[in-house]
Every structure is written in C-alpha cells, then in structure tokens.
C-alpha cells in the first residue's frame, strides 16, 4: 500500500485521514498533516485509542528542522511547465493523486518533506531548506512537541 500524499510505500501503519478535505490513505509521517484521522487501517476491531504521532526526529534535538520553501507553489508549477509535464504526468511520476499536485500548485497544500524531496529530484528544483532555531533547546523542543499532540482529531467509533 502506498501513501496517497507522499507516494511512499507504507512500511509501518497506514491511516485513513483527511487532508485538505480529501480522504487519503496516509503513512505515519503524513498522518501528522491530516485535519482528521480515522484511525489505523485494518485495526477496526481494536479498542479506540488516540492516534500515536511519530516520535520527533533526532534532528529536532539539534534544533534543526527541514522546511519547504514558502513559494513552493510557484516553484513547482514553473518547473513543471518548464519540463513540459502535465499535472497528471507529474503526479504519475511521484506516485500521488493529481489532486495532490493541483492543491500544491494552488498553494493550498504544503508538500510533506518526503514528497518535496521527490519533487526536487524530478523537477531539479530546490524546495527543502534547513532551518536552525537557536531558541529551541532540548527542553523547549520537547514542550513544543507535546503541544502538537493536542491537535489531533480522533475519530471515535
Ligand atoms: Zn506519506
């Protein structure tokens, strides 16, 4: 099974979640981007419980994070057109739905890092930049991460 947002083969748990009002099968990384999560797939019989977020990447401890550039929508659209690719062709190359490409080019959906990296390779553009936040020490990051735990909407059966 593949993640419908980043196109990666899902190795861990797969989730059904809503990203930008569209239901998609999501990997553990991309499920963080979902506005609503309908729990792990294939585990309907298990008791309800909050969806676990992936552990913070080791990089966070170093206060270095990767971010997608702000004008990703324009960068991707222009590079795609320069390469003479249709949205369908680009979506096929990346293994994602064409609706994902459309939303990204409209600026409505920031691509997850995995997908941004793939787009970089396919379109030969720079999309991911490393951001060093000196304000965040180890404790600060742990707290910032805790806060994000609160914003997962959990679907109750
Ligand atoms: Zn994914």
């Amino acid at each position: 099974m593949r993640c419908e947002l980043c196109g990666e083969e899902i190795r861990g748990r797969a989730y059904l979640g809503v990203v930008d009002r569209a239901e998609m099968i999501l990997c553990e990384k991309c499920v963080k981007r979902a506005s609503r999560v309908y729990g792990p797939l294939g585990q309907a019989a298990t008791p309800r419980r909050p969806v676990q977020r992936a552990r913070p990447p080791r990089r966070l401890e170093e206060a270095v994070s990767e971010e997608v550039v702000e004008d990703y929508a324009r960068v991707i659209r222009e590079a795609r057109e320069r390469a003479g690719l249709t949205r369908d062709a680009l979506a096929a190359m990346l293994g994602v739905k064409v609706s994902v490409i459309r939303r990204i080019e409209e600026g409505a959906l920031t691509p997850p890092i995995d997908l941004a990296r793939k787009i970089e390779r396919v379109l030969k553009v720079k999309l991911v930049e490393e951001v060093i936040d000196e304000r965040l020490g180890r404790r600060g990051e742990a707290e910032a991460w805790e806060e994000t735990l609160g914003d997962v909407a959990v679907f109750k059966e």
Side-chain angles (χ1 to χ4, degrees), residues 50-154:
V51 172
Q52 299 278 319
R53 281 185 180 238
R55 297 183 64 78
R58 187 156 277 282
R59 303 189 73 94
L60 263 181
E61 291 175 12
E62 297 157 14
V64 177
S65 58
E66 291 179 321
E67 284 184 9
V68 175
V69 295
E70 249 174 68
D71 59 346
Y72 66 87
R74 183 185 58 78
V75 171
I76 293 169
R77 193 189 66 246
E78 288 180 3
R80 178 180 58 75
E81 287 171 353
R82 217 181 307 132
L85 293 169
T86 61
R87 286 177 177 177
D88 290 273
L90 180 60
M93 288 167 85
L94 297 167
V96 299
K97 291 182 174 177
V98 67
S99 59
V100 170
I101 302 298
R102 178 172 48 75
R103 289 195 205 100
I104 288 172
E105 290 193 357
E106 285 168 357
L109 177 69
T110 310
I113 295 296
D114 290 1
L115 181 57
R117 289 258 182 241
K118 275 195 196 170
I119 297 171
E120 283 187 326
R121 286 197 296 272
V122 171
L123 294 179
K124 312 262 191 296
V125 289
K126 179 84 181 133
L127 287 176
V128 180
E129 57 189 7
E130 289 198 341
V131 178
I132 298 168
D133 192 338
E134 291 169 6
R135 290 167 304 171
L136 288 179
R138 273 166 194 271
R139 281 198 50 184
E141 277 156 23
E143 282 161 17
W145 189 260
E146 288 292 307
E147 275 171 34
T148 66
L149 290 172
D151 61 15
V152 182
V154 178

Side-chain angles (χ1 to χ4, degrees), residues 10-15 26-29 40-41 43 49 52:
I10 298 174
R11 295 185 204 289
R13 267 194 204 129
Y15 298 84
L26 299 166
C27 68
E28 285 188 322
K29 276 186 237 164
L41 291 177
Q43 298 206 352
R49 58 180 169 188
Q52 299 278 319

Side-chain angles (χ1 to χ4, degrees), residues 3 5-8 26-27 29-30:
C3 171
L5 188 51
C6 72
E8 293 288 328
L26 299 166
C27 68
K29 276 186 237 164
C30 293

